[in-house]
Amino acid sequence: MSTATTAARTTPAGPATMAQALQRAMRDAMAEDPRVHVLGEDVGTLGGVFRVTDGLAKEFGEDRCTDTPLAEAGILGTAVGMAMYGLRPVVEMQFDAFAYPAFEQLISHVAKMRNRTRGAMPLPIVVRVPYGGGIGGVEHHSDSSEAYYMATPGLQVVAPATVADAYGLLREAIACDDPVVFLEPKRLYWSKADWSPHPVEPIGRAVVRRTGRSATLITYGPSLPVCLEAAEAAKEEGWDLEVVDLRSLVPFDDETVCASVRRTGRAVVVHESAGFGGPGGEIAARVTERCFHHLEAPVLRVAGFDIPYPPPMLERHHLPGVDRVLDAVARLQWEA
């Protein structure tokens, strides 16, 4: 790594949005490693629907930031070939549900190639997926599809919720020799924070964002701000809530999560994905198995409803909000 590149990474960046931090992560990775290529629909000249790849094609050329046809299976299949020949592709799927046509490539090849070749052929592919609701998008533009990726062995699944994590986790994902599905909460793209492009806790580690004694809120991605707001509101009821940001769904940080639940004795899992068959069921099971004798109440879930994503005018009723989180906290058998 050159001195100039090192200085660029360690110089404080000041206030930035999550979208800017993600762009900076790709830019820094591309500057340091000529094997890193970005590809996807409209990522070049337009800079992506959410402008996350803005300026990359101008700086690195269209050969390294490439607009593709509207064919997700073809995009990911191309990335498989690129990775097999030594490149490190970063794929943008544009919207969450647009990724579904690429599932065959993802499940049959991306997730299995390293195992199939006995470790001889890793596929260092990052699949960036803007996901979740809260932006007034219609069906196929607001899905929370993390459960599908979590259920596919061979994939790492990452879901940042802060500006610093957006940069740090994406840098780590690009450097990883295993495929990473990188879930970007699009309603947080314009969230802003002071940050510096320093390393963060690695993939596979959760972080306690707020300490508390009464109960633990376990969450990730777009639901983190909701849980932090709920924790503040809960003080009026006399509850002191701890908030754990998972950051990484696969691998999962049992140690941090269970240490928190053992301290508080109660837990609520919060996410936008549907409740039935969603990530909350797996998380609740893991917590129950490991913390059973510390629990004062069953682990509860606050999730999106078990329906296709509703029209924009109704999404506020579908997405977990502060009131629904507090209602769940109130059901944690405090009388016991």
Side-chain angles (χ1 to χ4, degrees), residues 42-258:
D42 297 319
V43 299
T45 303
L46 182 65
V49 170
F50 298 99
R51 305 300 185 266
V52 176
T53 57
D54 189 36
L56 297 181
K58 182 177 181 181
E59 182 170 356
F60 297 100
E62 294 183 358
D63 287 343
R64 291 190 62 199
C65 184
T66 307
D67 284 329
T68 66
L70 305 182
E72 286 77 14
I75 296 169
L76 194 51
T78 299
V80 170
M82 293 169 69
M84 291 174 72
Y85 278 88
L87 300 179
R88 307 186 79 88
V90 180
V91 173
E92 180 180 299
M93 283 297 171
Q94 196 169 78
F95 282 95
D96 31 56
F98 289 13
Y100 298 155
F103 255 61
E104 196 278 330
Q105 293 286 345
L106 188 73
I107 294 171
S108 296
H109 304 297
V110 175
K112 294 181 171 60
M113 188 64 70
R114 188 166 198 165
N115 184 71
R116 180 183 296 144
T117 61
R118 298 184 180 180
M121 187 171 287
L123 291 184
I125 299 172
V126 178
V127 183
R128 294 180 42 245
V129 183
Y131 84 116
I135 65 166
V138 295
E139 186 183 12
H140 293 109
H141 294 72
S142 300
D143 278 14
S144 295
S145 46
E146 55 267 37
Y148 303 140
Y149 305 116
M150 291 172 65
T152 304
L155 301 177
Q156 296 193 31
V157 185
V158 177
T162 68
V163 173
D165 271 355
Y167 177 88
L169 290 175
L170 184 53
R171 287 303 309 270
E172 187 175 350
I174 294 172
C176 182
D177 285 335
D178 288 312
V180 179
V181 177
F182 197 87
L183 301 170
E184 299 171 3
K186 51 184 174 284
R187 67 163 149 162
L188 299 185
Y189 272 150
W190 301 278
S191 61
K192 183 176 286 189
D194 290 329
W195 74 296
S196 296
H198 294 310
V200 295
E201 288 291 321
I203 292 174
R205 298 298 297 178
V207 170
V208 177
R209 299 293 184 191
R210 184 187 190 278
T211 59
R213 300 186 306 268
S214 303
T216 300
L217 303 181
I218 305 168
T219 192
Y220 56 89
S223 294
L224 176 62
V226 174
C227 287
L228 291 172
E229 185 179 350
E232 286 300 308
K235 292 190 292 187
E236 297 182 6
E237 302 294 333
W239 299 318
D240 182 21
L241 302 182
E242 184 151 299
V243 179
V244 176
D245 177 7
L246 294 177
R247 306 168 70 250
S248 172
L249 300 174
V250 180
F252 189 85
D253 186 358
D254 290 298
E255 180 181 355
T256 299
V257 172
C258 292

Side-chain angles (χ1 to χ4, degrees), residues 281-325:
E282 173 64 24
I283 296 168
R286 299 180 79 88
V287 170
T288 301
E289 290 170 357
R290 291 161 175 79
C291 305
F292 182 78
H293 294 291
H294 297 265
L295 290 171
E296 302 289 341
V299 179
L300 301 182
R301 292 171 289 167
V302 179
F305 297 122
D306 299 331
I307 59 172
Y309 200 84
M313 293 293 289
L314 299 176
E315 69 176 357
R316 69 184 186 278
H317 303 295
H318 175 73
L319 298 174
V322 171
D323 288 344
R324 287 178 60 193
V325 173

